[in-house]
Amino acid sequence: MTNRPDVLIVGAGFAGMYALYRYRNLGFNVTVIEAGSDVGGTWFWNRYPGARCDVPSLEYSYGFSKSLEQDWDWPEVFSAQPDILKYANHVADRFDLRQHIQFNTRLVALEYMETDNRWRATIEHTAESKEQSEPAAQIEAQFCVMATGCLSVPNKPVLPGADSFTGTVLHTGLWPKEPVDLTGKRVGIIGTGSSGVQAIPELAKQAEHLTVFQRTPVYTVPANRKAMRAAVQQEFRDNYDDIREMQQKNAGGVSNFRPVRSLRRPRSDNAVRQEPITAIPSTSLPASSLSSVAQAPNAILSLTPEERLEMVTERGLNTLLSFRDVYNNTEANEAANETFRQALGNMIDDPEVSARLSPTTYGLGCKRQVLDRDYYDTFNRDDVTLVDVIDTPIETITRDGIRTNEKDYDLDVLIYATGFDAMTGALLKANIQGRDGKRLADKWQDGPVAYLGLQMHGFPNLFTITGPGSPSVLCNMLVAIEQHVNWIGDCIKYLGDNNLESIEATPEAEVDWVAHVNEVAEGTMYTTPSCNSWYLGSNVPGKARIFMPYVGGYPRYREQCEQVVANGYEGFCLG
Ligand code: N01
């Protein structure tokens, strides 16, 4: 049986849900396929203890519906995973989206059929979908929109002996729906990125003993843990039109709106940023443009080392993120790194543990900023052990746990918090074949090549939401998603209105765009030689080292997309 919608959307996370809403409203017949048993994407799969968002919820929310903005109550400033998933479910119900979504349906191959200008999706139904009556085995659509997410394919390192472990194995990015009881268990966790840092304090509270296997220490700063105040939420609601406009003008798609009416104290003009710290930097200027920034009042280099440490001791580690020069000037960056390490020394009881937790091989701003709740305090507990797997490497996983070159650690539960095959993982896993059987995996062998992160030459009518080469993960994802969904929807409508059948990026346009993406990333902390991050693909063995998101800022990117349309879809071939 073959289903033939106008538009096939792959994924029912925040991108797929809004795309469905929007394209259905434009009059298209839309089908969504989703591997999970419900909506939510990232927030469906990442249910590990401690999971929460690193962007304030009043900003990390859809802007397309005024009534939704007015109705939805967020319980915390930075929401936890269950509350974000609740919101996703509410949106699905409110806009009656589920009737167009085939859950428990995984895309296994996607092939372009040139003769009838359609994409044929081969799909597989998971066990849970057996209740559906005669689900289609194939879907053929003129347009295919990949809403597969930037961080959706878990990265699980291949460790010797991994299959021999007889205990429970979990991955933070594929956490079970059923609650996991860790009471009385000896738990081991590999990985100290955002997921590990969020999970570790919560796991320590539950487990009998927690052993953390760390390869690279992290710079993490305390997250905002405020409950939502009704007055603050109301002030946002009263100003949402302006807030959405401010998001459009901000490099990271965050308005940083300050609800002055509801806050007791007026904003002070000192060096410490007053708005909630998010994981999205407000500036990404290259080092070459730094001389003037270094003179700014909020430059860390204008303080003595003693003043820096005093400030951080008084006001917290996140003070370091308020200095603009930290992101752009290597001397300032090292000053901040050193202050961070000194402050850590004062926070951790055991100097050996403190030294192990201190990052030394890269600087602040290289990776996505990690935010935590009680991370460092957790290492002062007697029932938590930190193992540095650089000093004492993992030799093998055994039947009973992990063996390093120093000793055996017996475990009941082993958790991988080892991240994702980011940005390209889900697209490459989909076995996409374009014109003349050309495989996307071959085209992207040396790194992703796409025009505006939206489309690829050789793959007509196939679109990627927040694809590589777009601001995506360097932007408030909801803002980036809405902009892409709208652009693609307008494009498909334009084709129909003008009796056109297809759109495809030209090879010149995509090569030029990739060159521009690389050029703007050059000279930032993200691409320093000492930096290894999933932005660069360096967390996955064998993956090409290339900076994947667009760091030139969301407004500049959006304007570029608008200009392309104004110039008659410049850089695309329409037919
Ligand atoms: O993944 P990561 P993540 N042996 O890649 C280690 C978003 N997110 O899931 O640094 C030992 O950052 C690896 O070590 P190293 C957010 O955008 C957001 O934590 O490669 N260790 C590292 O410590 C985030 O940036 C939130 O040396 C190994 C860790 O595993 C992104 O997701 C919450 C290893 C992986 O860290 C990814 O975060 C959670 C090995 N073989 C996630 N392989 C929010 O707050 C890997 N590691 C919204």
Side-chain angles (χ1 to χ4, degrees):
M1 200 170 87
T2 302
N3 171 8
R4 290 172 69 88
D6 300 322
V7 185
L8 168 65
I9 296 168
V10 184
F14 280 113
M17 284 166 55
Y18 176 50
L20 164 58
Y21 169 85
R22 173 89 179 169
Y23 305 157
R24 190 182 60 183
N25 284 0
L26 287 172
F28 295 110
N29 179 358
V30 184
T31 292
V32 181
I33 54 172
E34 164 57 52
S37 60
D38 212 333
V39 297
T42 285
W43 302 104
F44 175 87
W45 298 106
N46 287 264
R47 296 165 187 258
Y48 60 86
R52 67 175 56 240
C53 193
D54 53 12
V55 174
S57 295
L58 285 161
E59 306 242 17
Y60 187 94
S61 55
Y62 286 123
F64 72 83
S65 165
K66 298 289 158 219
S67 62
L68 175 64
E69 280 175 350
Q70 294 302 315
D71 292 350
W72 188 255
D73 287 329
W74 291 106
E76 291 181 273
V77 174
F78 286 74
S79 289
Q81 175 272 337
D83 291 313
I84 303 172
L85 191 58
K86 228 181 264 172
Y87 175 74
N89 275 281
H90 171 79
V91 170
D93 293 338
R94 184 181 185 117
F95 299 106
D96 198 15
L97 300 181
R98 287 179 216 278
Q99 55 169 316
H100 304 283
I101 307 175
Q102 290 183 21
F103 293 107
N104 303 304
T105 303
R106 190 178 294 284
L107 176 66
V108 289
L110 189 62
E111 187 189 351
Y112 179 63
M113 300 176 299
E114 186 146 19
T115 39
D116 51 359
N117 184 34
R118 293 186 93 79
W119 284 93
R120 178 192 290 150
T122 305
I123 53 183
E124 176 183 274
H125 302 281
T126 62
E128 284 181 70
S129 69
K130 290 280 150 38
E131 294 151 22
Q132 291 175 3
S133 57
E134 272 195 78
Q138 287 192 329
I139 301 174
E140 292 178 4
Q142 185 181 357
F143 299 99
C144 183
V145 178
M146 300 298 287
T148 41
C150 295
L151 295 159
S152 50
V153 175
N155 172 45
K156 192 169 169 212
V158 182
L159 297 172
D163 291 342
S164 61
F165 181 61
T166 52
T168 306
V169 178
L170 300 167
H171 192 294
T172 46
L174 281 178
W175 200 263
K177 264 166 95 178
E178 305 70 37
V180 181
D181 186 7
L182 299 172
T183 317
K185 300 274 167 55
R186 295 160 303 172
V187 178
I189 183 167
I190 302 176
T192 52
S194 297
S195 305
V197 164
Q198 286 186 333
I200 284 164
E202 295 305 314
L203 298 173
K205 285 180 204 160
Q206 294 177 31
E208 179 190 293
H209 193 96
L210 178 69
T211 308
V212 177
F213 297 89
Q214 170 195 269
R215 186 164 68 183
T216 308
V218 67
Y219 293 98
T220 173
V221 303
N224 178 315
R225 26 197 333 164
K226 288 190 183 136
M228 182 65 73
R229 287 169 49 193
V232 169
Q233 180 149 286
Q234 190 53 50
E235 200 168 336
F236 264 78
R237 286 178 177 157
D238 295 345
N239 290 280
Y240 251 133
D241 285 350
D242 290 344
I243 288 166
R244 298 298 180 195
E245 220 177 294
M246 286 152 76
Q247 289 178 334
Q248 294 299 314
K249 293 178 183 156
N250 177 269
V254 183
S255 77
N256 289 321
F257 173 76
R258 192 165 161 75
V260 280
R261 216 172 62 206
S262 328
L263 296 176
R264 264 175 261 129
R265 279 173 300 163
R267 183 175 189 160
S268 73
D269 238 347
N270 61 26
V272 183
R273 192 161 52 187
Q274 299 293 308
E275 64 266 17
I277 296 284
T278 78
I280 299 170
S282 55
T283 177
S284 313
L285 299 174
S288 53
S289 62
L290 239 277
S291 47
S292 59
V293 175
Q295 304 306 318
N298 60 354
I300 195 166
L301 290 179
S302 65
L303 303 176
T304 66
E306 294 73 28
E307 286 170 336
R308 293 170 199 154
L309 185 58
E310 197 183 314
M311 188 177 250
V312 168
T313 308
E314 263 176 31
R315 303 180 185 187
L317 286 169
N318 43 20
T319 310
L320 291 170
L321 307 182
S322 67
F323 298 107
R324 289 188 65 205
D325 54 348
V326 164
Y327 299 100
N328 310 296
N329 176 313
T330 39
E331 195 192 337
N333 189 263
E334 189 39 39
N337 304 338
E338 180 52 26
T339 311
F340 191 99
R341 292 187 283 264
Q342 287 171 0
L344 215 55
N346 298 337
M347 289 162 64
I348 311 280
D349 299 342
D350 181 339
E352 245 181 63
V353 174
S354 152
R356 267 185 237 140
L357 286 171
S358 297
T360 52
T361 56
Y362 66 99
L364 268 162
C366 137
K367 304 190 187 210
R368 185 179 180 89
Q369 185 55 52
V370 178
L371 310 180
D372 74 275
R373 296 180 167 216
D374 305 325
Y375 181 64
Y376 292 120
D377 279 352
T378 302
F379 292 94
N380 288 330
R381 294 174 65 125
D382 294 336
D383 53 4
V384 174
T385 304
L386 178 66
V387 178
D388 181 333
V389 300
I390 295 289
D391 284 354
T392 56
I394 295 176
E395 283 189 340
T396 184
I397 309 283
T398 65
R399 221 179 148 272
D400 300 318
I402 290 186
R403 177 174 303 150
T404 67
N405 69 352
E406 194 183 49
K407 65 181 275 198
D408 278 11
Y409 295 88
D410 287 350
L411 305 170
D412 302 307
V413 181
L414 173 55
I415 299 170
Y416 289 85
T418 44
F420 302 90
D421 183 354
M423 310 220 45
T424 55
L427 296 169
L428 294 179
K429 211 176 153 193
N431 281 319
I432 302 177
Q433 272 191 29
R435 194 184 307 102
D436 302 328
K438 181 154 181 131
R439 295 169 65 238
L440 186 66
D442 292 332
K443 182 179 169 90
W444 283 8
Q445 202 168 15
D446 299 325
V449 180
Y451 183 34
L452 299 168
L454 275 166
Q455 244 240 341
M456 289 81 69
H457 176 68
F459 300 81
N461 293 353
L462 176 73
F463 298 93
T464 54
I465 297 183
T466 62
S470 72
S472 56
V473 290
L474 296 181
C475 183
N476 177 351
M477 279 307 276
L478 273 281
V479 169
I481 283 169
E482 289 192 333
Q483 187 253 339
H484 265 193
V485 169
N486 293 343
W487 192 97
I488 295 165
D490 293 347
C491 171
I492 296 175
K493 180 155 187 327
Y494 175 88
L495 294 178
D497 291 349
N498 290 278
N499 294 319
L500 294 163
E501 297 286 324
S502 76
I503 179 163
E504 179 181 353
T506 66
E508 298 78 21
E510 64 180 9
V511 166
D512 286 354
W513 181 254
V514 171
H516 174 61
V517 171
N518 287 322
E519 189 189 28
V520 290
E522 214 36 57
T524 65
M525 289 301 160
Y526 293 118
T527 54
T528 53
S530 64
C531 185
N532 289 307
S533 69
W534 58 260
Y535 291 140
L536 287 160
S538 42
N539 63 327
V540 176
K543 193 164 171 175
R545 182 184 166 94
I546 184 163
F547 190 75
M548 293 182 283
Y550 180 65
V551 76
Y554 170 70
R556 184 170 166 195
Y557 171 81
R558 179 178 46 76
E559 280 159 23
Q560 179 69 27
C561 291
E562 286 164 6
Q563 198 54 50
V564 161
V565 175
N567 294 346
Y569 287 93
E570 187 178 14
F572 289 97
C573 192
L574 276 55

